[in-house]
Amino acid sequence: MCMKVVAFNGSPRLLGSTSYALNMVLDELNKDGIETDCIQIYESHMNPCNHCSSCEIRGDGRCIAEDDNMNSYLDKMKIADGIILASPAYYGSCTAQLKIFLERAGFACKFGKNPLKGKIGAAFAIQERDGGISVYSELVNWLLGNQVVVVGSTPIAVLTGNDPTSIEKDSKGMKALRQLAHNMFEQLIKK
């Protein structure tokens, strides 16, 4: 049975620290035979939720806005066994691009009978100096709010650096990423 993990990169920088760290986690999962799909959220240029309540009225777990990739992202999460969220800290929060995704996907899932319930999830954050704990908490809380089983690591997966080279120098952060991938794999095969 093939297991699949879909990962969402909240960074607007294709080759930045978050992408580097996310690729490392996905490579670890691939080595263990887990199929992965990495989505760069910034590519979709999504509009914010306008609170039209269509997702609540319809209850089908989809967003009424069909002019971006939101519904295809929702479909990918629904068929995946695991979900990873990753974002740099921008002024103490996840990026605006990821926030838009989390709001719209959260409402669609909430009113669509919680299609993510029981999936295995993980999150990590990248900070230059600070804000990583807030971002990590924001991402984990979103997963928990969607009844996703969240795996963690010791230390928690908050890395410090402003480019891939400096991320590699964060030895505790790199250890956390490897452990996060390992823990996610262990939970996926128990499913």
Side-chain angles (χ1 to χ4, degrees):
M1 182 172 166
C2 182
M3 305 295 276
K4 184 167 187 174
V5 169
V6 62
F8 294 91
N9 182 355
S11 176
R13 295 177 57 209
L14 181 60
L15 300 175
S17 304
T18 307
S19 295
Y20 179 81
L22 188 53
N23 286 332
M24 186 188 136
V25 172
L26 297 179
D27 286 346
E28 291 293 316
L29 290 170
N30 289 147
K31 286 179 196 174
D32 288 327
I34 305 294
E35 184 182 338
T36 60
D37 184 9
C38 186
I39 295 170
Q40 306 293 333
I41 289 291
Y42 75 92
E43 292 177 341
S44 291
H45 305 288
M46 286 187 270
N47 289 318
C49 178
N50 66 7
H51 198 346
C52 68
S53 298
S54 292
C55 58
E56 183 176 6
I57 295 164
R58 292 168 19 161
D60 62 359
R62 299 183 64 76
C63 181
I64 196 167
E66 296 284 350
D67 58 346
D68 59 28
N69 291 327
M70 176 54 71
N71 286 320
S72 69
Y73 295 164
L74 288 165
D75 291 341
K76 286 176 185 266
M77 285 193 294
K78 289 172 189 174
I79 63 171
D81 301 288
I83 300 165
I84 299 174
L85 301 176
S87 180
Y90 280 14
Y91 290 95
S93 184
C94 70
T95 62
Q97 294 89 342
L98 187 58
K99 183 68 174 165
I100 288 171
F101 167 75
L102 295 176
E103 287 176 357
R104 287 179 56 195
F107 280 123
C109 289
K110 175 182 176 180
F111 298 118
K113 301 179 183 84
N114 299 312
L116 308 183
K117 181 179 180 178
K119 294 185 182 295
I120 307 301
F124 69 85
I126 307 290
Q127 64 182 9
E128 185 173 357
R129 287 193 184 83
D130 54 29
I133 296 294
S134 296
V135 173
Y136 178 80
S137 296
E138 186 175 13
L139 302 180
V140 167
N141 287 339
W142 187 90
L143 291 167
L144 291 172
N146 282 285
Q147 301 181 44
V148 173
V149 177
V150 179
V151 298
S153 62
T154 304
I156 64 169
V158 174
L159 289 82
T160 301
N162 60 1
D163 60 43
T165 304
S166 60
I167 291 295
E168 278 189 348
K169 293 177 184 172
D170 180 358
S171 60
K172 290 182 181 178
M174 295 301 282
K175 176 186 173 193
L177 285 181
R178 285 189 293 277
Q179 187 177 58
L180 192 69
H182 176 74
N183 292 347
M184 187 168 208
F185 171 73
E186 283 190 339
Q187 292 304 312
L188 285 166
I189 61 172
K190 288 180 183 178
K191 260 184 106 175

